[in-house]
Amino acid sequence: MTSSTSNRRSSSKSILAVDDEYDIVNLIQDSLQRHRFRVCIFTEPSAVLEHFISHPKDYDIVISDIRMPGMNGYEFVRKVKESNPKVKVILMSAFEINDREFHNMLPDIKVDGFLQKPFSIQQLNDLIGKISRD
Amino acid sequence: MDENTITNCHVNDVLHQINQAEYGAHYMIIYPDLDTLRELYSNYTQRQIEENNEIVLINPFYETTDSVRQILSEKDNPTIDVSTYEKDQALVIADALEEYFGQQPHMYLKRSLANYTNKGKDGVSVLADMGAYPHKSKYDDLVSYESSLPTKSDDSIALKGFCLYHEKDFDKFSDEQKQKLIEHHGKTLKIAEAKPI
């Protein structure tokens, strides 16, 4: 599986999510759809980056895992921001996020939120709700 | 078999080959996805600990150490008693980023090699995901590290090393780097992606 899109309501915020584990992005899609977000999910960072670069204005929020084979989340987010500096980004990880590594990898990039895996649907919804309002 | 090429195999064939590996072996295994890797390490670990009386060191990168524990614990027929094995240090699970880039690099490997005879074990098997290097964009460093290791080490050191590369990480290396990596392993085994029936 590479991508899956849900277009339930065209006026709602659009979210793009990538994680190399399908179960994670599927959970994100299921839970955010219930709150009427439009959600597109991918499991391959190179494929999602290609998609995003073709549609940089179509998304309000991008959610990315950090440890992914082929392209890590830092590199992905940096390229996403190059394509659309206004898009909001959330990084997620099952690992402790190393501050030094984070600042080395993304010295000039604002990350709008972090999700520590495993996260609850409530935590996800709260963070998305907060970022959507900002 | 030509030792400077990649051999494409089903996961069961790779499992068979690494089960047959002798001490001193240094193989590269290219895997297509996490589920396939889990199938490989869960089957290998049980056999090496139970039947071959070895210490097994697993260094995951794309999943947490707790995830590895859960995968091993869920295995049935036969089951793996993860907590007992870890307590006995027959099973050591340590994050690859910590093992390769932590404050004490290779700490878990050194400790396992220093301890195996005291623990009454016959040797050590290492299943190490090399993903920490591509994650840090240290491609040349990984080639240098692998090149520093013999394709087959002195069999007086009872060590079998299996370097695990996610296919998408391996694809990021240049052709020259790939060739060097292949040349510095006794065997390079690429697990074919399972096709849906």
Side-chain angles (χ1 to χ4, degrees):
Chain A
M1 200 280 309
T2 298
S3 74
S4 168
T5 312
S6 162
N7 289 303
R8 293 184 59 166
R9 211 172 120 177
S10 59
S11 60
S12 63
K13 295 272 186 186
S14 291
I15 295 171
L16 184 64
V18 57
D19 192 300
D20 55 316
E21 290 214 66
Y22 174 72
D23 290 350
I24 302 289
V25 281
N26 190 41
L27 173 80
I28 290 171
Q29 186 174 50
D30 279 355
S31 91
L32 294 178
Q33 275 179 183
R34 291 197 196 107
H35 290 76
R36 297 179 177 175
F37 289 101
R38 291 187 298 125
V39 185
C40 184
I41 59 174
F42 282 76
T43 54
E44 292 184 17
S46 56
V48 67
L49 183 62
E50 193 176 323
H51 171 80
F52 185 82
I53 288 171
S54 303
H55 310 86
K57 307 287 185 188
D58 284 6
Y59 295 97
D60 303 292
I61 299 170
V62 171
I63 306 173
S64 174
D65 187 25
I66 292 178
R67 287 195 192 184
M68 295 184 289
M71 184 188 300
N72 67 43
Y74 300 124
E75 186 182 351
F76 169 69
V77 162
R78 195 165 52 241
K79 289 179 176 172
V80 159
K81 284 281 198 178
E82 282 170 11
S83 189
N84 178 4
K86 289 185 177 171
V87 73
K88 294 184 174 176
V89 294
I90 295 172
L91 284 172
M92 57 184 171
S93 184
F95 303 87
E96 193 176 319
I97 294 171
N98 181 310
D99 280 348
R100 200 170 70 176
E101 180 183 82
F102 171 73
H103 288 109
N104 283 341
M105 299 291 244
L106 294 175
D108 306 317
I109 302 247
K110 185 193 172 198
V111 172
D112 299 278
F114 291 96
L115 278 169
Q116 184 74 46
K117 293 191 235 175
F119 51 81
S120 66
I121 290 170
Q122 187 65 48
Q123 286 172 310
L124 172 66
N125 289 334
D126 288 350
L127 182 58
I128 294 291
K130 179 179 175 296
I131 287 173
S132 301
R133 287 190 299 274
D134 285 347
Chain B
M1 183 174 61
D2 184 350
E3 292 191 344
N4 290 332
T5 59
I6 298 175
T7 306
N8 290 289
C9 312
H10 184 271
V11 64
N12 289 341
D13 298 327
V14 174
L15 189 59
H16 176 74
Q17 293 212 40
I18 65 175
N19 278 333
Q20 300 295 317
E22 295 178 349
Y23 289 121
H26 177 212
Y27 293 179
M28 172 159 61
I29 298 168
I30 303 169
Y31 65 93
D33 52 54
L34 209 45
D35 285 342
T36 305
L37 180 64
R38 287 166 173 162
E39 187 180 346
L40 184 78
Y41 73 62
S42 59
N43 284 293
Y44 182 78
T45 298
Q46 190 277 333
R47 180 173 171 146
Q48 298 311 310
I49 294 175
E50 290 277 341
E51 296 178 27
N52 292 339
N53 193 38
E54 288 183 356
I55 290 176
V56 175
L57 168 59
I58 302 177
N59 296 131
F61 183 73
Y62 291 114
E63 62 181 329
T64 62
T65 52
D66 281 343
S67 170
V68 173
R69 288 184 184 97
Q70 187 177 340
I71 295 295
L72 293 174
S73 300
E74 286 171 355
K75 188 179 181 304
D76 55 9
N77 194 27
T79 56
I80 300 176
D81 188 346
V82 174
S83 56
T84 301
Y85 287 154
E86 284 198 286
K87 194 176 165 191
D88 294 345
Q89 295 180 36
L91 174 63
V92 182
I93 306 169
D95 183 62
L97 194 64
E98 185 189 354
E99 178 72 338
Y100 291 103
F101 295 99
Q103 292 190 334
Q104 293 177 272
H106 309 289
M107 177 176 72
Y108 295 96
L109 174 60
K110 288 174 185 169
R111 192 184 292 166
S112 297
L113 285 173
N115 283 349
Y116 78 88
T117 48
N118 297 340
K119 299 280 176 194
K121 299 291 181 184
D122 293 340
V124 180
S125 271
V126 183
L127 294 158
D129 197 315
M130 309 313 288
Y133 285 85
H135 177 78
K136 288 179 155 290
S137 299
K138 292 185 179 291
Y139 296 95
D140 285 335
D141 288 3
L142 180 51
V143 174
S144 298
Y145 170 65
E146 292 278 29
S147 302
S148 73
L149 304 172
T151 53
K152 186 178 188 312
S153 59
D154 181 349
D155 59 11
S156 65
I157 303 168
L159 174 66
K160 300 172 194 171
F162 304 112
C163 302
L164 309 170
Y165 286 73
H166 194 291
E167 189 176 350
K168 289 188 188 122
D169 285 338
F170 187 70
D171 287 345
K172 298 277 280 188
F173 289 90
S174 68
D175 288 345
E176 187 185 350
Q177 287 172 323
K178 284 178 187 170
Q179 196 54 42
K180 280 186 181 170
L181 288 172
I182 292 166
E183 285 168 4
H184 283 88
H185 290 87
K187 286 185 184 180
T188 299
L189 307 169
K190 182 176 180 181
I191 307 176
E193 195 163 2
K195 290 188 170 60
I197 298 168

